[in-house]
Amino acid sequence: MQDSKVVDLNVGGRHLTTSLSTLTKYPDSMLAAMFSGRHPVAKDQDGRYFIDVDGDVFVHILNFLRFGKMPPPERAQDVNEYAEYFGIQELKAPVTEDFEKVLY
């Protein structure tokens, strides 16, 4: 897959569009592995790549990958779980620190 390629996603029923370079920004992440071209990724009936997670949380993952933007405090715990699941350590550490500040 080419890095500049536009990728249509179906994330838990929410339709999102991003670039391949966004999804593969962190080479050691699960997203980079999924979209490396080495592994088959399920598609929905409209040809969108299907990711079976909550799209309202996943959009914060995309915003971090695109802009380095942290999620709002009320979403930090959910995003932290997704960062762990998708192997995005660069997001997991800052979110954990911010989440702990919110709690204490």
Side-chain angles (χ1 to χ4, degrees), residues 56-61 64 69-72 75-86 88 91-92 95:
D56 292 336
V57 176
F58 190 81
V59 74
H60 297 291
I61 297 289
F64 175 78
K69 183 178 177 186
M70 298 306 294
R75 285 297 202 173
Q77 184 173 8
D78 294 332
V79 172
N80 187 50
E81 290 171 11
Y82 281 27
E84 177 75 28
Y85 177 78
F86 288 109
I88 304 171
L91 173 58
K92 185 179 179 310
V95 168

Side-chain angles (χ1 to χ4, degrees), residues 13-87:
R14 183 170 177 176
H15 300 158
L16 301 168
T17 302
T18 192
S19 67
L20 181 60
S21 61
T22 295
L23 293 169
T24 60
K25 182 172 185 173
Y26 296 107
D28 293 331
S29 72
M30 182 194 303
L31 288 172
M34 287 171 66
F35 291 94
S36 67
R38 296 181 307 229
H39 306 284
V41 180
K43 291 186 176 183
D44 69 10
Q45 66 275 8
D46 296 316
R48 295 181 194 95
Y49 290 98
F50 181 72
I51 301 175
D52 192 15
V53 297
D54 184 337
D56 292 336
V57 176
F58 190 81
V59 74
H60 297 291
I61 297 289
L62 284 180
N63 284 334
F64 175 78
L65 294 174
R66 289 172 177 146
F67 312 115
K69 183 178 177 186
M70 298 306 294
E74 63 273 10
R75 285 297 202 173
Q77 184 173 8
D78 294 332
V79 172
N80 187 50
E81 290 171 11
Y82 281 27
E84 177 75 28
Y85 177 78
F86 288 109

